[in-house]
Amino acid sequence: MAPHPLLDLVRRRISVEEFDATHRLSEDQIRDLVADAAHAPSSFNIQHWRFVAVHRDEDKPRLQEIAFGQQQVADAAVTFIVLGDVRGTEKLPQILQRAVDADMMPQGKADAWVRMAGGIYSDETVARDEAIRSATLASMVLMLAAEARGWASGALSGFDAERVMQEFSIDPRYVPVMLLAVGRPVSHDDARKPRLEVDEILAFDRCRIF
Ligand SMILES: Cc1cc2nc3c(=O)[nH]c(=O)nc-3n(C[C@H](O)[C@H](O)[C@H](O)COP(=O)(O)O)c2cc1C
């Protein structure tokens, strides 16, 4: 059986640092990317991910400064501020109700999930870790979706989290997870960066010092 084309995308994706500054994405195209990202899995289907799309010329320099001047943010068509909702469980009854209404989940199971999630995520650290985990998975899907749609991406954790909260009026219930620049690359010929060999990162059945 021929390998699925997704494998090609996974192996082709690279982080782009040089974007074509003349390239624009429409709000519909940005919506499509976020709709793709929303197919990521999340604990209890809480979907902790939230996105602020910074795409206007007047807003990009503000974000670039917060990202320590990184040029990608100025040149990419859009840079997403990817957020994780630390209080994501508050929406869970609503989310699960949609599954109940679609006959995909019995009411009893939905109620049990809400109780379970409420217990697990009453611990602030656990809730924050989970929000970051889910938003990170959505970010990866978004990066692959950008590639599949003919664009390129670059994740950035090099930014001042406190300042991004202030400057973009982000409520403290959201934790900034990463910035994600998406646009048209100046060139997609950059060599793929070397990876550790599989034997350097994989153990079977029990851990070891890698
Ligand atoms: C969470 C995360 C944060 C990153 N932060 C930055 C950043 O601030 N600036 C940057 O130029 N690249 C950043 N990168 C890109 C990495 O340097 C890049 O993914 C890595 O070197 C592997 O290269 P590749 O993505 O092309 O395979 C980041 C990547 C990730 C996943």
Side-chain angles (χ1 to χ4, degrees):
M1 203 168 88
H4 192 278
L6 176 65
L7 285 180
D8 181 50
L9 270 187
V10 166
R11 285 165 187 261
R12 205 179 63 208
R13 183 214 57 82
I14 54 168
S15 294
V16 163
E17 288 178 39
E18 278 186 82
F19 289 95
D20 174 355
T22 64
H23 174 236
R24 298 279 179 273
L25 287 175
S26 69
E27 293 198 354
D28 280 345
Q29 288 172 312
I30 291 170
R31 280 175 187 283
D32 286 343
L33 278 173
V34 169
D36 294 334
H39 285 278
S42 59
S43 173
F44 294 103
N45 199 23
I46 291 172
Q47 306 167 58
H48 310 73
W49 43 74
R50 302 289 183 267
F51 303 89
V52 178
V54 178
H55 72 313
R56 293 190 315 191
D57 286 343
E58 56 267 41
D59 294 317
K60 287 180 185 178
R62 290 199 293 141
L63 189 56
Q64 182 187 14
E65 206 211 320
I66 290 167
F68 310 121
Q70 297 194 72
Q71 193 61 33
Q72 304 93 302
V73 178
D75 294 342
V78 59
T79 298
F80 295 96
I81 306 169
V82 182
L83 305 171
D85 187 356
V86 176
R87 286 164 43 192
T89 35
E90 289 176 11
K91 273 218 161 90
L92 191 56
Q94 246 174 284
I95 292 167
L96 295 181
Q97 195 56 48
R98 294 184 202 186
V100 171
D101 292 345
D103 282 334
M104 293 171 73
M105 184 182 258
Q107 186 69 56
K109 186 172 177 183
D111 295 343
W113 274 28
V114 169
R115 277 196 306 278
M116 255 193 287
I120 294 167
Y121 301 119
S122 59
D123 181 311
E124 235 174 72
T125 307
V126 176
R128 185 186 151 92
D129 286 353
E130 202 72 282
I132 294 172
R133 193 151 34 223
S134 293
T136 301
L137 284 172
S139 300
M140 187 69 244
V141 175
L142 200 153
M143 285 191 268
L144 290 175
E147 202 77 30
R149 289 177 181 276
W151 307 313
S153 66
L156 296 91
S157 58
F159 66 94
D160 184 328
E162 244 171 67
R163 282 203 56 213
V164 88
M165 301 279 287
Q166 281 163 12
E167 193 69 34
F168 288 85
S169 310
I170 296 168
D171 189 276
R173 71 180 282 162
Y174 304 112
V175 53
V177 173
M178 70 180 80
L179 303 182
L180 205 42
V182 176
R184 185 194 289 149
V186 167
S187 113
H188 207 302
D189 298 335
D190 295 347
R192 288 193 46 79
K193 297 192 190 86
R195 291 302 198 253
L196 294 169
E197 299 297 333
V198 170
D199 286 338
E200 296 177 274
I201 58 172
L202 172 68
F204 287 101
D205 304 318
R206 49 181 56 79
C207 192
R208 61 183 167 90
I209 304 296
F210 292 96

